[in-house]
Amino acid sequence: MAAISKAGCNLGTCHGNATGKGGFKLSLRGQDMDYDFTALSRDVSGRRVNAFSPDDSLILVKGSNKLAHEGGKRLDPKGWEYRVLRDWIAYGMPPARAKDLRVKKLEVTPPEAILDEAQDTVQLTAKVTFSDGSQRDVTAQAVYEPLQNGLVEVSHGGLVKRLEFGEPTVLVRFLDQSVPVRLTFLRASPDFVWARPRRDNYVDGHIFTKLKTLRINPSAVCSDDVFLRRASLDLLGMVPTAEEARTFAADKRPDKRARLVDKLLVRQEFADFWALKWADVLKAEGRTLDDTGLKAFHGWIRDCIAQNRPVDSMVRDMVAARGSTYKEAPSNFYRANRTPAARAVAAAQVFLGTRLQCAECHNHPFDRWTQDDYYNWSAVFSQVDYKIIGDNKRRDKNDKHEFNGEQIVFLNPKLSVDNPRTGEKASPRFLGADMPKLAGGQDSLQAASVWLTGPENPLFAKSQVNRIWYHLMGRGLVDPVDDFRLTNPASHPALLDDLAQDFVKSGFDLRHLIRTIMLSRTYQLDSKPSSTNAADEINYSHNLPRRLSAEQLFDSLHLALGVRPSLDKQGTRAGQLAGPKGGRGSPDPMSPEAFLVQFGRPKRELSCECERASDTNLGQIFQFISGPIVGRLLSDKDNRLASLDKNNDSAAVVRDLYWALLTRAPSRDESTVMESLLSSAQDRRAALEDIAWSLINAKEFVLRR
């Protein structure tokens, strides 16, 4: 197995592909030894091997390219891989035996390394410990895979050579063991001087220690007006009012930022905005849940946030849920996920930060999960069933995913899941853990809810703090935020561990963790880069500006311009909306729905943050430049501009617009230009609209800095 892996025969680009190559299929990366034994020695009547004349075995002849082989030469007749395979065939292709030694541990040296510019290579060595305690050097037999293309190349024997400066990770594999090695190749910086920034809590300790190692100075701390705007957008989903901005600017207390965070965390808008984040990944939309179920599910999520309910308790309620989707709101988690596989994938992705989709048809190509893991985990949710009360009065008769009416979620013991690999019923099993013996009266969902959120499952706390970090910092410590695996290591693993431990110790207190992150100096860094950190995008040396979300833009525009949105009695802000109603067709281009869709609001059909679009496109640009919705807000006869039009003090008017739209006072030059424009205008109202239009289209407005 080690020889086949070293030759690369079982990679996804070769015979480890889900459909194999040239009629020959191996398990991906050698994850299924029994399957590979059969494929090599028994499949197609054993024609791939010849025990009487081993050198004539097809696997050796084609592998050494003596016979045309699409994959080229993979085996050198003088190499150890060829010799091991030949000897195995000559000995009669014995299968693995229960008494054979098994690899228990793989150790790689160095486990991590920081290398100056003068050192462009590093030799990795690999050692394994067997089940009897003996050890062996397997440096020559291990497989070395760079995880970032173009940064390094690795020789057959584990010599890593730098191609570009950066932070590459090399995955070292031997049989079923894998170890990631983190390397850092630094440019020479003889003039670098560490700025010695103040550390406000343990978050800064981790971030700044790594920045010092990388010879990167963090940016300065952002100004009060930037902090206020950033905190308001992150916690409330909208900009502060002009009055709030002026009050904060006038506050001279040294702890005013901490006071602000505490104040924002208990506002109703915080519960609205952070419920929206949960609703996105829990697929809270009206097509499958119907309007009543959607409102019940969203309302329950919002109440949990408003009451600061522990996150683990909230998740346990969803996983163990059953009953009416109207009366037992958490049961809508299952109404939104209609099959055992959908439930298993959603639970793993949202609650454990693990993507299982690739293990449905074959073993996961980049993670430890096998096809058996996928179906055994699905079997945990296999007995969930539905009773539809009355007729399903769907609006679109051709849409089988639409439901309209109350449903009862219950467990049906007759239901099960088949494992297509074995052709047998899958046995319920947790991910990476055995299913415990159920206590009296306990069912698989209740057991899963306890295991998912329990202390023996560190992935739960880590995935939740990573998601919170992502929403505040714009990038997860593990990124993508729901893709925890060996081949996608965290940028700051020790920080992730400390945040998770803090989260657990606090009782899974969402507000506590948010406050900890926001009061760190790291969160408060400016977006203007320093002389050493302009190229950094992953180490949090400065704030990375990002476009406001659809709801943030919509609510900020209406709040700043003093216009009450028309949301069909669903609330007074987009952040309060329970979710999209679903269905086919495009919304009215003049409707709030059209604006939200245009700026990336997700349909909520996936359990993934990636469904929410954050990119910028021409349609969005035209909407702000000359679009009907923005134009209507500016020209509204009762908006903020209407009251300012009655004020003849041009300086005061300009100041008010800047505080309302950009959360700051205008500079001297800005005041001079804008006041002149306003004073000389023949149509004062038109001039006000022009000024407001220019501020709305400024990067300061559309970007969270």
Side-chain angles (χ1 to χ4, degrees):
M1 292 295 286
I4 289 171
S5 291
K6 187 68 174 180
C9 304
N10 53 23
L11 292 176
T13 54
C14 200
H15 299 289
N17 188 277
T19 57
K21 290 283 185 180
F24 178 32
K25 182 181 182 303
L26 294 168
S27 67
L28 185 65
R29 299 184 179 185
Q31 294 172 328
D32 191 335
M33 186 166 57
D34 293 336
Y35 179 90
D36 290 346
F37 174 78
T38 301
L40 285 166
S41 63
R42 303 289 187 268
D43 195 25
V44 291
S45 302
R47 76 182 184 91
R48 296 191 178 99
V49 290
N50 186 340
F52 298 103
S53 181
D55 289 307
D56 293 327
S57 297
L58 190 61
I59 187 174
L60 296 177
V61 173
K62 295 198 73 172
S64 60
N65 214 27
K66 293 178 181 177
L67 190 65
H69 180 221
E70 184 180 347
K73 185 176 181 179
R74 312 301 300 183
L75 297 170
D76 182 351
K78 297 180 180 180
W80 72 268
E81 300 96 326
Y82 185 100
R83 185 178 67 253
V84 165
L85 284 169
R86 185 198 178 283
D87 290 349
W88 176 69
I89 295 169
Y91 289 145
M93 298 154 288
R97 300 169 298 176
K99 65 178 182 179
D100 288 342
L101 296 180
R102 295 289 189 270
V103 175
K104 291 298 183 181
K105 185 179 181 182
L106 170 64
E107 296 176 87
V108 182
T109 305
E112 58 182 347
I114 299 170
L115 306 164
D116 287 323
E117 186 168 349
Q119 186 177 357
D120 63 353
T121 62
V122 59
Q123 175 65 52
L124 303 182
T125 59
K127 180 176 67 176
V128 293
T129 301
F130 289 99
S131 49
D132 66 348
S134 63
Q135 295 183 324
R136 183 183 303 171
D137 186 295
V138 293
T139 301
Q141 291 77 31
V143 179
Y144 304 92
E145 296 180 348
L147 299 183
Q148 291 90 2
N149 292 330
L151 291 181
V152 294
E153 61 181 14
V154 189
S155 73
H156 212 55
L159 180 67
V160 182
K161 182 178 180 180
R162 182 193 73 217
L163 299 179
E164 297 286 346
F165 294 100
E167 299 179 66
T169 299
V170 177
L171 184 70
V172 184
R173 295 190 290 113
F174 183 77
L175 296 182
D176 62 345
Q177 301 289 314
S178 300
V179 173
V181 176
R182 301 177 64 90
L183 302 173
T184 303
F185 290 96
L186 298 176
R187 293 183 185 275
S189 304
D191 299 327
F192 174 77
V193 177
W194 178 238
R196 299 180 180 274
R198 190 183 75 225
R199 303 182 179 193
D200 291 341
N201 61 26
Y202 67 86
V203 171
D204 299 328
H206 289 288
I207 297 296
F208 293 165
T209 296
K210 184 175 181 183
L211 288 178
K212 182 180 180 181
T213 300
L214 297 175
R215 298 168 190 162
I216 295 174
N217 273 318
S219 295
V221 170
C222 67
S223 62
D224 282 344
D225 54 269
V226 169
F227 178 80
L228 171 63
R229 190 179 182 89
R230 183 185 298 175
S232 298
L233 286 167
D234 286 348
L235 296 186
L236 310 182
M238 58 187 184
V239 298
T241 65
E243 182 58 32
E244 289 170 340
R246 283 190 287 261
T247 299
F248 189 72
D251 190 346
K252 302 303 180 184
R253 290 174 294 183
D255 63 342
K256 69 177 186 178
R257 295 193 180 191
R259 289 172 177 269
L260 172 70
V261 172
D262 290 339
K263 183 178 179 180
L264 297 181
L265 283 171
V266 295
R267 283 180 53 170
Q268 293 301 307
E269 295 94 331
F270 168 74
D272 294 333
F273 189 57
W274 281 72
L276 179 152
K277 299 177 188 298
W278 271 100
D280 276 355
V281 294
L282 292 174
K283 301 196 285 190
E285 52 86 27
R287 186 174 61 133
T288 303
L289 304 187
D290 82 21
D291 289 344
T292 304
L294 172 60
K295 290 177 182 177
F297 196 25
H298 175 266
W300 176 79
I301 296 169
R302 189 200 172 283
D303 287 345
C304 288
I305 304 295
Q307 297 163 11
N308 199 29
R309 187 174 177 189
V311 174
D312 62 330
S313 174
M314 176 180 168
V315 170
R316 280 197 297 273
D317 275 4
M318 282 187 278
V319 176
R322 66 212 64 194
S324 166
T325 55
Y326 286 1
K327 299 173 184 176
E328 303 294 335
S331 65
N332 282 284
F333 172 72
Y334 291 117
R335 179 164 175 167
N337 297 285
R338 309 291 297 184
T339 66
R343 298 166 203 139
V345 167
Q349 192 161 354
V350 177
F351 306 140
L352 299 178
T354 301
R355 295 183 178 183
L356 288 181
Q357 293 90 325
C358 288
E360 180 177 7
C361 302
H362 50 75
N363 292 344
H364 199 297
F366 306 114
D367 209 344
R368 57 178 168 144
W369 309 118
T370 67
Q371 193 174 11
D372 289 346
D373 290 329
Y374 179 93
Y375 285 98
N376 291 341
W377 176 238
S378 297
V380 173
F381 304 92
S382 62
Q383 294 182 352
V384 173
D385 204 354
Y386 310 90
K387 179 180 180 182
I388 299 177
I389 307 299
D391 296 329
N392 181 16
K393 301 168 184 173
R394 61 166 64 107
R395 293 163 292 182
D396 187 341
K397 301 298 182 183
N398 296 317
D399 187 351
K400 294 183 180 180
H401 295 283
E402 181 187 1
F403 294 91
N404 190 1
E406 185 179 8
Q407 296 183 24
I408 305 296
V409 175
F410 68 100
L411 296 189
N412 183 347
K414 297 180 180 179
L415 299 180
S416 61
V417 169
D418 291 334
N419 184 333
R421 189 187 70 81
T422 63
E424 300 176 353
K425 288 184 179 180
S427 301
R429 190 173 187 272
F430 298 152
L431 281 176
D434 292 328
M435 183 88 169
K437 185 177 180 180
L438 300 179
Q442 189 182 44
D443 55 55
S444 61
L445 295 187
Q446 292 167 335
S449 72
V450 173
W451 171 80
L452 265 172
T453 59
E456 70 278 9
N457 188 2
L459 265 183
F460 175 73
K462 287 184 179 181
S463 66
Q464 298 312 306
V465 301
N466 188 55
R467 198 179 294 274
I468 294 166
W469 178 274
Y470 158 77
H471 284 302
L472 294 173
M473 303 298 294
R475 176 187 173 88
L477 293 166
V478 172
D479 190 75
V481 70
D482 51 10
D483 196 12
F484 278 68
R485 50 185 163 84
L486 270 178
T487 52
N488 185 39
S491 61
H492 298 73
L495 172 57
L496 182 62
D497 289 343
D498 279 1
L499 285 168
Q501 291 171 13
D502 189 8
F503 192 45
V504 173
K505 187 177 179 180
S506 73
F508 296 92
D509 187 328
L510 172 65
R511 293 178 185 170
H512 167 79
L513 189 68
I514 289 175
R515 189 180 194 275
T516 298
I517 296 172
M518 291 183 68
L519 294 185
S520 70
R521 195 174 182 89
T522 301
Y523 174 85
Q524 299 178 42
L525 294 177
D526 199 48
S527 58
K528 183 179 179 180
S530 70
S531 59
T532 60
N533 69 23
D536 173 43
E537 293 186 352
I538 64 173
N539 289 302
Y540 311 102
S541 60
H542 60 291
N543 181 269
L544 296 177
R546 58 185 187 268
R547 176 176 66 75
L548 302 191
S549 69
E551 293 85 356
Q552 286 174 328
L553 282 170
F554 185 89
D555 289 340
S556 295
L557 279 169
H558 284 79
L559 176 65
L561 291 174
V563 179
R564 183 183 177 90
S566 175
L567 294 173
D568 298 327
K569 299 181 181 180
Q570 299 178 67
T572 59
R573 290 176 285 103
Q576 292 177 304
L577 299 179
K581 295 182 178 180
R584 304 183 186 183
S586 300
D588 179 350
M590 292 293 289
S591 68
E593 182 84 3
F595 183 95
L596 296 174
V597 170
Q598 185 175 41
F599 284 90
R601 188 189 69 179
K603 293 181 178 180
R604 294 183 178 170
E605 295 175 347
L606 304 174
S607 300
C608 184
E609 301 281 0
C610 60
E611 194 184 9
R612 177 175 286 274
S614 58
D615 58 338
T616 301
N617 56 54
L618 279 176
Q620 297 168 358
I621 294 171
F622 287 137
Q623 176 63 256
F624 265 68
I625 292 176
S626 58
I629 295 176
V630 172
R632 186 172 59 189
L633 287 173
L634 289 170
S635 61
D636 188 287
K637 65 178 182 179
D638 296 318
N639 66 10
R640 183 181 211 94
L641 306 183
S643 60
L644 293 178
D645 192 19
K646 301 173 184 177
N647 187 344
N648 293 323
D649 186 345
S650 296
V653 169
V654 170
R655 284 196 300 271
D656 184 83
L657 282 174
Y658 269 80
W659 281 113
L661 290 164
L662 302 186
T663 321
R664 66 172 176 84
S667 67
R668 179 178 299 178
D669 288 344
E670 288 169 334
S671 294
T672 300
V673 172
M674 295 301 184
E675 290 172 31
S676 174
L677 175 65
L678 198 56
S679 300
S680 62
Q682 293 183 351
D683 186 337
R684 187 176 176 83
R685 170 64 193 233
L688 282 170
E689 291 182 12
D690 288 345
I691 294 173
W693 176 91
S694 68
L695 298 182
I696 286 171
N697 280 279
K699 290 181 181 179
E700 279 186 76
F701 184 84
V702 298
L703 296 179
R704 179 264 192 207
R705 299 184 301 125

